[in-house]
């Protein structure tokens, strides 16, 4: 706050520069000021200024006697004090203490007591609190300077006060003398006493008059004969003034007027006495007054009854009505007594009868109006929400029944209330359900006609269980969640107990049962002369009708909920823009359409252009009115579980009612409700399950798992997804939260075998679909597919648009990662899921587990061949080309070098070894072993392809080539490779003569030396195939 703003606030004595109301204390002004303004007409410039100044009353002038200190304020009693609203820092700091405190966040503007503790002019000033807040950051040196400043300020103010007292001392003495003289004048008026001699006081008075303010003249100095002068009171006054003296003898000044008043009274009696009538009229008036005074209670009854009706004090109304009846009976007894005694009524009796008759006429009119209003309230029977406040509202209806019985009525208020409650609940169930159904369909159509959620969004929601188990995280698109919430809220409005309509039905039955068994009648009044006793009993026919009515309400509620789940989406949504029929009950809309009573903008549309129906695309969700279009399984699991718990709990609550438990038909209908709802929800969820699994391969982004680099995060995502679905599906199929209740077995039955078989089939299908799509997705080229490729892959429509950024460019790496994932599925994940399924649904999957295992083996074999097959063909081509070449036969008798194709084949294996080692090390052994087998098989095929017989040099070359490869890949030798190698040597042996065969035996030692030399020469190139030594 600036200094200018602070000055304005103190000048006008306001708390804010932008007040919104006129200060109340400004409406009060001192009487002396008002008298002064009235006695002195305002003319000239002063009057012009006052007329033009709108805020003059806010200003504090120096002549205003109401405040001697600028900025002072009034306390809560309207008395002014000397504490200012703000003041400068007494230690010489800033010019506003309040501004400093406000910057520190203290509410000094609103809390006056807190502000006074920081103001030096207040008696509640706290030095410690002042220093801790205003000078919290001050140094010792600054505090010492502030102390010096405060000391100088005190000395200056003390000197100013001393000068003020000395300069005005003569005025103080003259004011005291004037007060004493006035009191002596009033006390001694009319007393003849000698003039007292007071020279000392006289000289003292004159001694103090030597200092007179310049230009001022006191009235005692200018008029020595005035009534207040000391000399005036010394003169004796006339004796007739004694009666006006303030003394006991003169009755304190009223003795002089007593005589004239007595004379006036006598004259008035003489003149007006005859005109006031005779004694007979006086007696008549006295009797009337006495009768009215005696009948004051009768006259008060009519007004008291009106007040009780207005304040809804029914107990007091009954008491007052009984009083009125008693007064009427008393008046009737008086009239009957006079009639039977054949005597005239006395004046008091006549007055009593007339007053009572007028009172009774007014009472009957008010009571009749009250009864009509009470009947209207009972027949309308607005149902209270079944909450803690519901009992108080319902007790108000009981109070109305009580007061009607107390007052006496012809019709039975109990039966009227029960019938009106039944009609009200029936209309409310139908209207609320139809309204909610149409609202759900409106949002459903808008969602169906909109674009599906983007693929990236759908994939992110499928990954949610594997990322976080926090249920507050979004599990679907906001528009889909909005529809789920609307469905749950609508059913909660119908089936929640005690908040929903179900709670109102149960509450209605409990109250009706209290009337049926007579426990409620024990507290009901019998009315005047027992007239209402007949209303305490309900007829047998009425009891049967009431029980049928409760069953009908239950059936309406059950049928509404069942049709919502079992029927397809509705076609007619005209309810939202059709006017209400004239026969609609007068139940408030807030009671019918809660919790969607407000005109929600989501349900506003042009009547001539309603939302179009959902497009028929063959999607499974189009057959379910409760399933949002494009909703995923995660949201379905969460919300369908809540919906099934709601339906099951409602059915259990209804089954406890006596009228339901005794009816096998109603029990069967409740079982049908739970079983049908469970079946429809399971089918909708399983359809969404298959749809999500068909696009689950898009979750694969080839990001390595943190703990195992040979795997991606895909298996963990799929495991979490399947675990969530299986857990949620188990809660939907068995409804365990409701089935655990004591009486839930009457309505929650075990799931049928067909439903469990359907769940098992979908579980198997999800495994096959997910794993197969993973394999095909890994075989996709890194570049975007052409339409022909997309058709060949046969992926779902979303998969075509689901190209994943950041995927490895190498198809071989993706195949390796997928093989690692499949190995993990076969060994660990699939057994986990099978075990969970068997635990959740109490159904063994022995044969299914074997089938899944075989299928996984086939998938792994297909993946393995997809990866290793091209390499095997390349190796076979190299070997075949090298051996069948015309240059393969050595030109020397003793070859000492390998043919180039051997190095080419081994270098290809080195590349494969590097790729597998860096991507999926566990797959290295089976892949290299398989390729070694294919190499040996290629050797055999190539040697067989040569038509000529093998000479010694050819045998030695073939032996060097085969043995060198076998020695390099010795760590990956398998039984099949050894068998094929034997077949190679047999083939060579069959294609040579005996002489070459014998000479070859002699060359073997030399050939071993050549092989050793060749291995040593290529040790660096093929070291990766050597077995790694482990540290001891």
């Amino acid at each position: 706050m600036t200094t200018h703003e602070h000055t304005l606030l103190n000048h006008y004595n306001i708390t804010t520069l932008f007040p919104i109301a006129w200060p109340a204390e400004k409406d009060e002004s001192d009487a002396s000021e008002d008298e002064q303004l009235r006695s002195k007409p305002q003319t000239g410039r002063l009057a012009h200024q006052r007329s033009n100044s709108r805020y003059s009353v806010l200003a504090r002038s120096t002549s205003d006697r109401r405040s001697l200190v600028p900025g002072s304020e009034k306390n809560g009693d309207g008395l002014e004090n000397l504490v200012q609203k703000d003041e400068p820092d007494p230690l010489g700091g800033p010019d506003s203490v309040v501004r400093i405190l406000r910057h520190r966040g203290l509410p000094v503007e609103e809390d006056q007591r807190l502000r006074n503790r920081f103001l030096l002019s207040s008696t509640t000033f706290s030095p410690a609190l002042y220093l801790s807040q205003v000078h919290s950051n001050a140094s010792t040196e600054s505090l010492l300077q502030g102390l010096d400043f405060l000391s100088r300020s005190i000395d200056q103010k003390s000197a100013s006060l001393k000068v003020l007292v000395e300069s005005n001392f003569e005025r103080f003495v003259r004011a005291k003398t004037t007060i004493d003289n006035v009191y002596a004048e009033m006390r001694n008026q009319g007393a003849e006493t000698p003039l007292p001699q007071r020279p000392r006081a006289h000289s003292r008075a004159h001694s103090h008059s030597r200092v007179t303010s310049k230009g001022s003249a006191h009235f005692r100095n200018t008029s020595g004969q005035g009534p207040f002068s000391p000399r005036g009171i010394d003169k004796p006054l006339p004796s007739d003034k004694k009666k006006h003296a303030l003394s006991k003898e003169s009755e304190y000044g009223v003795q002089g007027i007593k005589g004239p008043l007595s004379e006036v009274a006598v004259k008035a009696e003489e003149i007006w006495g005859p005109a006031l009538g005779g004694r007979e009229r006086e007696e008549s008036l006295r009797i009337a007054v006495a009768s009215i005074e005696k009948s004051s209670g009768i006259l008060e009854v009519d007004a008291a009854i009106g007040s009780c009706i207005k304040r809804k004090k029914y107990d007091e109304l009954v008491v007052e009505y009984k009083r009125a009846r008693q007064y009427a009976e008393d008046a009737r007894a008086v009239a009957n007594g006079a009639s039977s005694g054949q005597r005239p009524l006395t004046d008091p009796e006549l007055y009593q009868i007339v007053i009572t008759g007028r009172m009774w006429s007014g009472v009957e009119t008010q009571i009749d109006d009250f009864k009509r209003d009470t009947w209207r309230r009972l027949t309308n029977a607005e149902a209270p929400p079944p909450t803690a406040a519901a009992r108080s509202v319902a007790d108000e209806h009981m109070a109305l029944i009580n007061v009607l019985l107390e007052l006496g009525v012809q019709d039975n208020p109990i039966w009227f209330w029960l019938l009106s409650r039944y009609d009200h609940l029936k209309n409310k169930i139908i209207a609320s359900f139809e309204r909610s159904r149409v609202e759900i369909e409106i949002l459903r159509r808008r969602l169906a006609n909109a674009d599906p959620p983007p693929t990236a969004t759908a994939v992110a929601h499928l990954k949610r269980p594997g990322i976080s188990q926090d249920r507050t995280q979004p599990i679907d698109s906001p528009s889909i969640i909005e529809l789920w919430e609307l469905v749950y809220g609508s059913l909660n409005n119908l089936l929640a107990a005690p908040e929903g309509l179900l709670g109102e039905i149960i509450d209605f039955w409990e109250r009706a049962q209290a009337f049926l068994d007579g426990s409620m009648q024990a507290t009901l009044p019998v009315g005047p002369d027992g007239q209402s006793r007949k209303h305490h009993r309900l007829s047998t026919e009425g009891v049967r009708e009431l029980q049928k009515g409760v069953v009908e309400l239950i059936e309406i509620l059950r049928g509404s909920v069942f049709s919502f789940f079992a029927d397809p989406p509705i076609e007619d949504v005209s309810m939202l823009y059709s006017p209400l029929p004239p026969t609609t009950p007068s139940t408030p809309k807030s009671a019918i359409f809660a919790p969607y009573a407000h005109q929600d903008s989501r349900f506003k549309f042009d009547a001539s252009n309603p939302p179009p129906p959902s497009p028929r695309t063959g999607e499974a969700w189009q057959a379910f009115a409760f399933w949002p279009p494009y909703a995923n399984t995660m949201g379905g699991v969460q919300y369908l579980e809540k919906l099934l718990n709601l339906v099951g709990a409602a059915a259990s609550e209804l089954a406890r009612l006596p009228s339901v438990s005794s009816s096998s038909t109603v029990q069967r209908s409740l079982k049908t409700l739970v079983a049908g709802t469970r079946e429809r929800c399971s089918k909708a969820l399983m359809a969404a399950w298959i749809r999500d699994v068909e696009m689950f391969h898009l979750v694969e982004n080839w990001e390595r798992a943190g703990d195992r680099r040979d795997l991606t995060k895909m298996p963990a995502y799929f495991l979490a997804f399947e675990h969530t679905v299986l857990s949620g599906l188990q809660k939907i199929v068995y409804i365990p939260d409701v089935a655990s209740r004591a009486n839930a077995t009457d309505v929650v039955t075990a799931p049928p075998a067909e439903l469990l078989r359907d769940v098992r089939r979908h579980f198997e299908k999800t495994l096959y679909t997910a794993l197969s799509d993973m394999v095909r997705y890994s075989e996709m080229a890194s570049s975007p597919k052409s339409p022909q490729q997309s058709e060949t892959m046969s992926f779902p429509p979303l998969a075509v648009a689901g190209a994943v950024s950041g995927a490895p460019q190498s198809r071989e790496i993706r195949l390796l990662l997928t093989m690692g994932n499949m190995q993990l599925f076969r060994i660990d994940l699939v057994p986990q899921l099978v075990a969970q399924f068997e635990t959740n649904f109490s159904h063994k999957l022995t044969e299914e587990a074997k089938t899944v295992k075989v299928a996984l083996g086939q998938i792994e074999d297909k993946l393995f061949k997809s990866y290793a097959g091209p390499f095997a063909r390349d190796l076979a081509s190299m070997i075949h080309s090298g051996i069948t070449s015309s240059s393969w036969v050595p030109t020397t008798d003793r070859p000492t070098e390998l043919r180039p194709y051997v190095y080419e084949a081994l270098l290809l294996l080195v590349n494969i070894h590097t790729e597998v080692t860096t991507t999926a090390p566990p797959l290295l052994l089976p892949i290299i072993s398989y390729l070694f087998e294919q190499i040996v098989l290629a050797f055999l095929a190539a040697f067989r392809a040569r038509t000529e017989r093998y000479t010694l040099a050819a045998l030695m070359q073939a032996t060097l080539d085969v043995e060198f490869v076998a020695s390099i890949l010795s760590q990956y030798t398998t039984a099949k490779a050894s068998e094929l190698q034997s077949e190679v040597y047999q083939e060579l042996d069959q294609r040579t003569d005996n002489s070459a065969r014998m000479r070859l035996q002699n060359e073997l030692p030399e050939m071993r030396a050549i092989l050793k030399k060749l291995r040593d020469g290529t040790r660096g190139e093929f070291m990766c195939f050597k077995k790694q030594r482990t540290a001891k």
Side-chain angles (χ1 to χ4, degrees), residues 244-261:
H244 299 297
L246 297 177
S247 61
K248 185 176 182 181
E249 293 77 7
S250 61
E251 298 184 4
Y252 299 100
V254 301
Q255 184 178 10
I257 62 173
K258 290 184 64 177
L261 288 177

Side-chain angles (χ1 to χ4, degrees), residues 681-737:
C681 291
S682 300
K683 287 184 177 180
L685 181 62
M686 287 186 289
W689 190 13
I690 295 298
R691 180 177 180 272
D692 286 348
V693 168
E694 287 176 349
M695 63 177 297
F696 205 89
H697 62 277
L698 297 177
V699 174
E700 181 64 86
N701 59 1
W702 309 108
E703 183 180 357
R704 306 293 180 90
D707 52 345
R708 292 187 58 179
R709 304 298 297 173
D710 59 318
L711 304 175
T712 65
K713 293 185 177 181
M714 172 70 170
Y717 290 145
F718 184 75
L719 179 65
F721 172 78
E722 289 286 286
H723 174 74
T724 303
V725 175
L726 289 176
S727 300
L729 193 57
Q730 187 265 346
K731 293 179 181 179
I732 292 173
V733 171
Y734 290 95
I735 320 178
D737 294 341

Side-chain angles (χ1 to χ4, degrees), residues 541-553:
E541 182 65 24
V543 171
R544 285 198 298 268
E545 292 297 328
L546 185 61
Q547 291 175 343
K548 291 181 181 179
V550 173
V551 172
E552 183 181 358
L553 291 177

Side-chain angles (χ1 to χ4, degrees), residues 24 28 60 77 191 344 383 504 517 601 629 661 683 808 823 827 874 910:
E28 302 175 1
R60 296 285 188 172
D77 299 329
E504 294 190 33
D517 58 23
S601 60
S661 59
K683 287 184 177 180
Q823 193 176 36
I827 298 174
D874 292 343
V910 169

Side-chain angles (χ1 to χ4, degrees), residues 375-393:
W375 282 118
R376 182 170 59 255
R377 295 173 64 182
L378 282 176
T379 51
N380 288 338
E382 178 181 349
T387 57
R391 293 292 177 181
S392 61
V393 180

Side-chain angles (χ1 to χ4, degrees), residues 17 61 138 146 148 157 194 213 218 273 282 347 434 501 505 513 554 663 704 726 785 812 835 841 916 927:
L17 293 178
S61 64
D148 295 338
K157 292 181 179 179
S213 59
H218 199 274
E282 180 182 357
D347 289 343
E434 293 299 330
L501 287 175
I505 294 176
Q513 187 64 34
I554 295 173
S663 175
R704 306 293 180 90
L726 289 176
K785 300 181 298 295
E812 288 74 17
F841 298 96
V916 175
I927 291 176

